[in-house]
Amino acid sequence: MTSSPATGAAPAVRPVLSRVRRVLPFLLATAFPLSACGIPETGVVEAGEPATGVQDPAGAAAADRNPSPAVPVDAVPLYFVRDGSLVSVTRPVQGSAEPVSAVLMVFKGPTVQEREDGLATELPRVRTTPTIRIDGGTVSIELPPDLGALNDTAIDQLACTAAAARLHQDPDLAVAQVTVEQPDGRLAGRSSDNCPDLRAARATVTVPPAPR
């Protein structure tokens, strides 16, 4: 007696086809909302805020030209040069006076009025913002490679300005230490104790009255 091989296979095919018919509408229904809403089915979606850092000198200059009256005004001593000696002058600054803003301001040099009063600077103009780190009473300034080497007077200007700003920022500090790293890797250390007129400047810094 012979048997047909097709009679045994038919029952197994029908359940498979039946399951495919039941699953296919579900897959189509779930895929449609993704494409309709514009959500990519594959690939990487980037998210998050852009990185931020210290504002560059050009941006800081633009902010100085367009001050916001809503920002409180503070004051900070800056160090320039007159007849070869360091001289401190008080400058208003919007927001809180701290080493970063003070260093950017002193790199810009004296104002027209200050130059008429005999003040000069040994610091060159910067195209790249120095890297400034603060750790307690220590301020570290890493100069950008395109700046070139600074002479001792320029380093004194920079260090005393940063030290004065740090002491103004934290009145509980008795002394501030500043390290300046030159583009060639040389390190120069200064202490606020060696900055002329710093105690007097620290005691006499006053906040200019707010504009009416």
Side-chain angles (χ1 to χ4, degrees):
M1 183 175 66
T2 60
S3 59
S4 174
T7 57
V13 173
R14 291 192 186 95
V16 173
L17 293 176
S18 178
R19 286 195 296 271
V20 170
R21 292 191 187 99
R22 289 196 301 270
V23 173
L24 184 57
F26 173 76
L27 293 176
L28 293 175
T30 55
F32 176 76
L34 293 176
S35 59
C37 296
I39 300 176
E41 298 177 28
T42 59
V44 179
V45 179
E46 296 184 359
E49 298 180 359
T52 57
V54 179
Q55 188 181 37
D56 62 17
D64 289 345
R65 291 193 298 268
N66 301 283
S68 172
V71 179
V73 178
D74 203 347
V76 64
L78 304 181
Y79 277 84
F80 294 112
V81 181
R82 178 187 288 137
D83 298 329
S85 300
L86 292 189
V87 177
S88 65
V89 297
T90 301
R91 286 271 196 90
V93 58
Q94 287 198 318
S96 176
E98 38 74 35
V100 174
S101 59
V103 165
L104 292 179
M105 290 174 69
V106 78
F107 265 115
K108 294 177 186 177
T111 63
V112 174
Q113 181 60 53
E114 289 167 349
R115 289 185 182 278
E116 292 178 354
D117 292 338
L119 295 180
T121 183
E122 293 292 327
L123 289 168
R125 292 278 182 155
V126 290
R127 294 185 297 272
T128 306
T129 303
T131 300
I132 301 173
R133 300 179 179 88
I134 301 171
D135 183 10
T138 301
V139 180
S140 301
I141 304 173
E142 182 181 344
L143 301 178
D146 58 356
L147 187 61
L150 301 183
N151 60 33
D152 288 342
T153 303
I155 292 175
D156 291 342
Q157 278 187 252
L158 190 58
C160 287
T161 295
R166 183 67 186 110
L167 293 176
H168 180 74
Q169 183 184 34
D170 188 350
D172 292 334
L173 292 175
V175 64
Q177 303 289 339
V178 179
T179 300
V180 179
E181 182 177 351
Q182 301 249 39
D184 59 6
R186 289 180 299 162
L187 297 177
R190 299 290 191 272
S191 170
S192 59
D193 288 339
N194 303 123
C195 297
D197 304 325
L198 182 54
R199 290 186 179 181
R202 188 178 183 185
T204 58
V205 167
T206 58
V207 179
R212 295 175 180 267

